[in-house]
Amino acid sequence: MISACLEIIGLGLSVTGTLLVMVACGLPMWKVSAFIEGNIVVAQNIWDGLWMSCVVQSTGQMQCKMHDSVLALTTDLQTARALTVISAVLGVLALMITIAGAQCTNCITKQSIKAKVVNVGGVIYIIAGLFVLVPLCWMANNIISDFYDPQVPYSKKREIGAALYIGWAASSMLLVGGVILCFSRPHDEKTSYPLKYVLPPIKSASVNGDYDKRNYV
């Protein structure tokens, strides 16, 4: 009963983390324009994402443009694109593997194999969480470094956008959910030794049909 609850909690956290990774991957708010030098009232806000850049006017209108060339992107954006997509794919793969080994399904009959399958799904979720955590921390470090760099003009300075916070939450859920799945059923791998039953010797009958008197001694 406890192992089943742990599986449900771990799978719920992992699936939620995978969905948040997809949301963070599609949002254009990875880098947002910084409000510095007393410019509180601005005519437009600039959002930079993995796939597009958006300009939000003060009137509420928003114009977005897809990135024309992948090679023209910075190294952190290219890496974030690749690792985020790989993380989402690994999350879907881990979901199918975990469901195949879950206690509520009959895809696999042997309990010890089901436990190992669930553990493999947990490991894949942990890898997916690490894959999405690397570009998030890298991009946040670049944003903070450029923000405090006096050589970068104020118009080029950016702040951390909402997509990075969503990505950090997704990474935490993937890591915690994967660890829970890895330790949800640790005792299922132990195989019990089969019981051996020893049958008593069969009493032999004599030639005349009576049991041998030695059986009663």
Side-chain angles (χ1 to χ4, degrees):
M1 184 63 182
I2 297 178
S3 61
C5 294
L6 289 177
E7 279 187 5
I8 294 174
I9 294 173
L11 187 59
L13 288 173
S14 302
V15 171
T16 305
T18 303
L19 294 177
L20 290 180
V21 168
M22 296 178 182
V23 172
C25 182
L27 285 178
M29 293 177 289
W30 284 65
K31 301 178 182 179
V32 297
S33 56
F35 300 100
I36 52 179
E37 244 192 358
N39 295 328
I40 301 177
V41 180
V42 292
Q44 62 185 15
N45 295 329
I46 301 175
W47 297 347
D48 293 329
L50 301 181
W51 311 97
M52 66 183 72
S53 296
C54 298
V55 177
V56 182
Q57 306 292 337
S58 58
T59 58
Q61 295 180 339
M62 182 173 64
Q63 297 178 348
C64 296
K65 180 183 179 182
M66 302 292 294
H67 295 307
D68 296 330
S69 175
V70 178
L71 300 178
L73 298 176
T74 57
T75 307
D76 56 351
L77 281 178
Q78 293 181 8
T79 307
R81 267 190 178 188
L83 293 181
T84 307
V85 172
I86 293 174
S87 176
V89 173
L90 287 177
V92 176
L93 177 63
L95 175 62
M96 294 186 293
I97 294 176
T98 306
I99 290 178
Q103 297 186 26
C104 58
T105 59
N106 296 325
C107 300
I108 302 174
T109 57
K110 196 173 181 180
Q111 292 296 324
S112 60
I113 298 179
K114 293 180 72 172
K116 293 179 181 179
V117 170
V118 172
N119 293 339
V120 170
V123 171
I124 297 177
Y125 274 127
I126 293 175
I127 296 174
L130 294 176
F131 270 26
V132 73
L133 183 62
V134 170
L136 291 172
C137 295
W138 187 4
M139 188 167 294
N141 179 67
N142 290 342
I143 292 174
I144 296 173
S145 299
D146 292 341
F147 186 86
Y148 290 106
D149 189 358
Q151 297 181 356
V152 177
Y154 290 111
S155 59
K156 298 294 184 181
K157 293 182 182 294
R158 297 290 182 264
E159 290 184 353
I160 298 175
L164 268 71
Y165 295 105
I166 296 176
W168 279 321
S171 176
S172 301
M173 289 184 178
L174 287 172
L175 293 175
V176 174
V179 171
I180 292 176
L181 289 175
C182 287
F183 295 97
S184 60
R185 285 190 293 172
H187 299 289
D188 288 349
E189 296 180 0
K190 296 180 180 180
T191 58
S192 57
Y193 294 98
L195 297 177
K196 296 182 180 180
Y197 296 94
V198 180
L199 297 177
I202 301 176
K203 298 179 180 180
S204 59
S206 59
V207 180
N208 54 5
D210 298 333
Y211 285 100
D212 194 352
K213 294 180 180 180
R214 292 175 297 177
N215 295 328
Y216 296 94
V217 178

